[in-house]
Amino acid sequence: MLLVGLVNIYKYFTSENKLNVFSFNLAYGVLLIIGGIFLIIDTTIFAKVFNVILGIWIIINSVTKFQYGIILKRADNKDWTYTFLVSILMFLWGITLLINPFKSALTITQIIGVFIIIYAVLDIIDNFIIRRNITDVLDVFKK
């Protein structure tokens, strides 16, 4: 986690693209470094708060995706509904992780694994939609 965090921070500061609107490398890097430090210091603390951290991270990312959907809608782009749908699904999964109604540690681990896989697939799909419509998104910022 420390290494990936450092790589993300390095990417943020060395990026050729001066407009880092869609780059969260700095935030991800800092969070990964903090998580890595917790993991090194005391693994039990990390295990206890992992669901909460993951749930909050997914919720924050879903709100960001929701904002992208609003931008696409303002640009009269038809793909805004997909972005809204993805953001709502991600938000619900984040809330589910925070509420955490599951008692067994094994069940929690399996469900978190499934959530991470689904989240990653939805995030990839949403990134393709946003990248395909990047000109519409940038036009909204120019207005």
Side-chain angles (χ1 to χ4, degrees):
M1 288 178 75
L2 288 171
L3 182 61
V4 174
L6 290 172
V7 168
N8 276 307
I9 290 173
Y10 176 79
K11 281 182 184 179
Y12 179 80
F13 286 111
T14 60
S15 173
E16 294 287 327
N17 185 1
K18 299 299 179 198
L19 182 64
N20 286 330
V21 175
F22 302 108
S23 174
F24 296 100
N25 287 335
L26 182 61
Y28 290 149
V30 170
L31 290 175
L32 285 170
I33 289 173
I34 291 170
I37 291 170
F38 275 123
L39 190 57
I40 290 170
I41 293 173
D42 186 2
T43 56
T44 59
I45 290 173
F46 188 76
K48 291 175 185 174
V49 298
F50 182 73
N51 289 347
V52 175
I53 292 170
L54 185 61
I56 291 170
W57 180 55
I58 290 174
I59 289 169
I60 290 170
N61 204 332
S62 70
V63 171
T64 304
K65 299 291 182 192
F66 190 79
Q67 288 176 325
Y68 294 157
I70 291 171
I71 291 168
L72 289 174
K73 184 173 174 147
R74 286 182 185 159
D76 291 327
N77 188 294
K78 63 180 181 196
D79 289 334
W80 71 271
T81 54
Y82 302 120
T83 304
F84 270 170
L85 179 62
V86 167
S87 69
I88 290 168
L89 289 174
M90 288 169 51
F91 184 81
L92 292 174
W93 285 323
I95 294 294
T96 302
L97 280 175
L98 288 179
I99 294 172
N100 197 8
F102 312 106
K103 303 282 184 213
S104 166
L106 179 60
T107 304
I108 292 170
T109 305
Q110 291 171 340
I111 290 173
I112 289 172
V114 170
F115 281 168
I116 290 172
I117 291 169
I118 292 171
Y119 166 77
V121 169
L122 290 173
D123 201 30
I124 289 168
I125 291 168
D126 201 43
N127 282 328
F128 279 121
I129 290 170
I130 290 171
R131 287 179 193 258
R132 184 175 65 206
N133 299 300
I134 192 71
T135 55
D136 290 341
V137 171
L138 292 176
D139 286 343
V140 169
F141 285 111
K142 291 178 185 177
K143 293 180 181 179

